[in-house]
Amino acid sequence: MKFSVIVIAVAVEFLILPFTECKDVRWKWQAGSTSVNKVSSDLNLGARTGGMVFKDTNTYNTFFLFGGLLHDPISNSQCFANDLWHVEGGGPSEKVLHQGTRNEGSKRGTGQSPVPRMLGASCGIAGGMFMVYGGYGDKGALGDTWIYDFGHEQWSSLEKLHFDMNHNDTSLISPPARSDMAAWCMHDRLVIFGGIGEKSETMRDMWEFDLRTLSWKEMENSVLLRSQIYFNHLTTWPEARNGATTWVKGKNLYLFGGNRVSNHDRKSIRNVGFSSDLYMYNISEGKWRYVHGRRETGRVAKFTFHGQHSRENEPGCRRGGAGIVDTSGNLWLFGGEGADGHLDSVSSVKPPKRLADLWHFDVLKNEWAFKGGFERGNSAGIYNGDKNIYYTGSQPGSRFDTMSVPAGNTILVYGGIGIDADGNEGLLSDFWEIDMHNYVAYFSATYPGTVFNLLFWPFLFVAVICVSFLYSRKFFEKFRNKRDIAYAPLTQE
Ligand SMILES: *[C@@H]1O[C@H](CO)[C@@H](O)[C@H](O)[C@H]1NC(C)=O
Ligand SMILES: *[C@@H]1O[C@H](CO)[C@@H](O)[C@H](O)[C@H]1NC(C)=O
């Protein structure tokens, strides 16, 4: 009887095991300073925000980084940058590819380079080229396109490239100047939507840049929408906005939130115009779909079911969040500026809160889950212990316009405007790794296998109970005895 109790205990263990395995998101502070506006000794990228990144798709965890708004340690002030870096996560280590105009003496290439800027759009072809379009610089919104050739180690403007390729420049078109646009980088093209224009107006036009022909084209439906001929036929098209978070999932482009109120006075940017709606654009169809979220602006977060997917959960409205697609094809959202769960975070007089919440959107269930980070906005970062070790206590502080890329099922996060260890706000220089690996592995193993789990584990449980019951009734004993008798003559010889 004792034996059967042990067997049942083991069976229960097996039953519970698939539901209790470690599935937490882990955070690792890898490099950079714990204070804002500091250049750390272990990362030369400096304190920066709004830089343009392009994931090096040939590798697991490297990316290219261009410009942004930088803290200049010499003048102790902020300035726009136009330096180009190759950054490898995991150390991290960094190598400058083009110094930009701040260090004129050591500049490589032809001497031409895009003017310093932040919040432009970038894309590229791994091993071939890096491109940047638009952004915000010393003279306001920009509308120029530049290509960096990795082979020749030099920048060229789109005009110059077309001139060199003997194209007739009269046909060369570019989208109107803007910054903070939604951008999706795919292997053969860059797609942009909206942004904030030269007169601080929010936009809703949509363009694509073909990386093979190096040419811009406005999306057909965007032209129709702008000319308003077929306005009524386009039942769904996101409202004009800037600072939306974006994800590329195959041929589907996702867009979340952003600011929907034109900012003619930059100082009056408040979060009443921030949104928390999720749209998807199907490239093959050329159409937008409304996927999830609240259509009204200025909505606070709903943390109804912690860690679980539910229709009751909603991330707060925001702009400037970071979006990453995991290997299961689901969407992760980290940080931004906007609203946490408190009603006081939506205000026309107070600045938006800086956020450090991590959300997971299950595209099949069409539901959000809060997965980690700080639930409260304006939270100071926690930098525990040695760098490069996963410490459960370490958490990146609240931030927006951070630079982030995926590395498998981890997110590399660098800088942004946010709150440091002492609660001060400024430009961050810290480099983090968010590891969702355990969660995604667990999730993709159980999610399609839910039926398997529901059938297999109870079946095993019942089977083990039956076997142990029969053992306790000495059911198997007669077989054993028979065998003993059958072999007995052999051993005696
Ligand atoms: C380029 O366009 C101009 C008119 O804008 C035309 O005169 C010229 O012949 C064109 N050149 C080529 C090579 O097509
Ligand atoms: C996108 O559009 C194509 C063509 O209509 C369709 O086959 C595909 O299923 C669509 N994808 C999604 C996710 O709706």
Side-chain angles (χ1 to χ4, degrees):
M1 208 54 204
K2 237 184 217 165
F3 179 68
S4 66
V5 170
I6 294 169
V7 169
I8 288 172
V10 170
V12 169
E13 188 91 343
F14 263 104
L15 187 68
I16 292 170
L17 185 72
F19 303 99
T20 56
E21 73 186 80
C22 171
K23 55 187 173 71
D24 286 340
V25 170
R26 302 186 299 168
W27 312 78
K28 184 162 73 177
W29 167 44
Q30 288 190 302
S33 175
T34 60
S35 303
V36 292
N37 306 333
K38 282 259 168 62
V39 179
S40 69
S41 54
D42 59 359
L43 195 65
N44 289 319
L45 301 172
R48 144 185 346 232
T49 186
M52 286 130 272
V53 293
F54 164 59
K55 173 74 198 292
D56 184 347
T57 45
N58 285 340
T59 65
Y60 169 67
N61 65 349
T62 63
F63 62 94
F64 299 95
L65 167 67
F66 172 74
L69 183 69
L70 199 61
H71 176 77
D72 183 0
I74 298 157
S75 63
N76 195 28
S77 61
Q78 296 178 353
C79 61
F80 295 113
N82 63 347
D83 44 357
L84 180 64
W85 297 81
H86 186 241
V87 186
E88 190 175 342
S93 63
E94 73 290 318
K95 187 176 82 183
V96 68
L97 298 176
H98 196 279
Q99 287 280 8
T101 43
R102 287 196 328 125
N103 298 302
E104 209 68 42
S106 51
K107 198 165 64 182
R108 287 201 265 172
T110 60
Q112 268 207 321
S113 54
V115 297
R117 66 189 71 200
M118 71 186 290
L119 297 178
S122 58
C123 194
I125 297 171
M129 58 94 134
F130 173 85
M131 70 157 291
V132 59
Y133 158 75
Y136 190 83
D138 283 319
K139 291 188 178 128
L142 297 156
D144 50 350
T145 304
W146 287 80
I147 314 278
Y148 184 80
D149 181 333
F150 291 129
H152 293 99
E153 300 186 352
Q154 69 180 40
W155 283 105
S156 305
S157 68
L158 189 60
E159 287 78 9
K160 183 177 179 300
L161 280 174
H162 274 251
F163 187 78
D164 292 351
M165 293 188 318
N166 290 327
H167 287 183
N168 204 333
D169 275 355
T170 53
S171 65
L172 190 64
I173 52 161
S174 279
R178 72 193 68 203
S179 69
D180 206 15
M181 62 295 262
W184 299 267
C185 177
M186 278 155 284
H187 67 279
D188 60 347
R189 64 187 122 177
L190 167 75
V191 176
I192 61 163
F193 173 91
I196 187 155
E198 275 173 312
K199 299 190 180 81
S200 295
E201 76 283 17
T202 50
M203 307 160 96
R204 68 195 300 206
D205 55 342
M206 198 171 183
W207 293 72
E208 68 178 332
F209 184 78
D210 189 323
L211 294 175
R212 294 158 306 184
T213 61
L214 303 183
S215 54
W216 280 104
K217 189 177 101 222
E218 186 170 3
M219 303 299 207
E220 221 171 286
N221 282 337
S222 173
V223 179
L224 295 180
L225 183 78
R226 216 160 29 77
S227 55
Q228 302 227 326
I229 304 169
Y230 295 108
F231 185 82
N232 293 331
H233 296 260
L234 296 166
T235 47
T236 305
W237 195 270
E239 298 85 353
R241 64 186 72 204
N242 64 288
T245 306
T246 58
W247 299 263
V248 179
K249 187 193 169 186
K251 295 254 174 198
N252 298 325
L253 313 181
Y254 285 87
L255 172 152
F256 174 80
N259 165 56
R260 297 206 322 229
V261 173
S262 272
N263 302 302
H264 294 285
D265 174 6
R266 275 185 85 82
K267 286 199 171 60
S268 73
I269 299 180
R270 302 297 181 210
N271 51 11
V272 286
F274 289 0
S275 52
S276 49
D277 44 358
L278 182 67
Y279 284 91
M280 189 193 82
Y281 182 82
N282 183 332
I283 285 212
S284 324
E285 291 177 325
K287 276 187 190 152
W288 281 101
R289 266 193 199 89
Y290 173 77
V291 176
H292 189 96
R294 295 146 308 170
R295 290 177 183 270
E296 315 83 17
T297 57
R299 294 290 147 149
V300 299
K302 281 161 76 183
F303 299 91
T304 312
F305 293 98
H306 255 255
Q308 291 170 32
H309 291 92
S310 162
R311 277 214 74 87
E312 300 301 312
N313 295 328
E314 299 285 352
C317 65
R318 70 192 66 200
R319 69 157 290 284
I324 296 290
V325 179
D326 66 28
T327 56
S328 305
N330 293 306
L331 319 180
W332 293 81
L333 167 68
F334 173 67
E337 58 171 337
D340 59 16
H342 294 261
L343 281 174
D344 74 339
S345 60
V346 179
S347 160
S348 56
V349 289
K350 280 196 255 175
K353 285 188 179 164
R354 284 73 178 102
L355 305 170
D357 47 354
L358 181 69
W359 292 82
H360 179 261
F361 185 76
D362 183 330
V363 296
L364 293 179
K365 288 186 186 163
N366 199 357
E367 288 168 354
W368 285 102
F370 174 67
K371 280 292 160 201
F374 291 105
E375 202 179 305
R376 284 188 77 96
N378 294 345
S379 291
I382 302 172
Y383 302 83
N384 270 353
D386 293 335
K387 291 174 181 176
N388 264 311
I389 297 172
Y390 286 107
Y391 265 92
T392 45
S394 281
Q395 298 267 343
S398 301
R399 67 193 61 209
F400 64 96
D401 291 341
T402 186
M403 291 140 281
S404 73
V405 293
N409 283 319
T410 64
I411 309 175
L412 308 179
V413 175
Y414 157 62
I417 296 181
I419 321 281
D420 66 11
D422 303 317
N424 299 317
E425 183 176 308
L427 300 191
L428 294 157
S429 66
D430 51 355
F431 197 102
W432 291 81
E433 190 180 291
I434 308 175
D435 180 0
M436 312 91 73
H437 181 269
N438 285 333
Y439 177 73
V440 177
Y442 163 83
F443 188 74
S444 46
T446 51
Y447 189 60
T450 306
V451 176
F452 169 83
N453 274 312
L454 283 177
L455 294 179
F456 179 75
W457 295 107
F459 172 79
L460 187 74
F461 182 61
V462 171
V464 168
I465 288 177
C466 288
V467 170
S468 55
F469 175 74
L470 293 174
Y471 251 111
S472 67
R473 299 292 296 267
K474 302 194 190 311
F475 178 78
F476 296 100
E477 244 136 76
K478 52 181 178 254
F479 298 107
R480 201 154 50 221
N481 292 341
K482 256 187 203 161
R483 214 160 47 209
D484 286 348
I485 294 159
Y487 287 96
L490 279 173
T491 51
Q492 271 169 4
E493 262 185 345

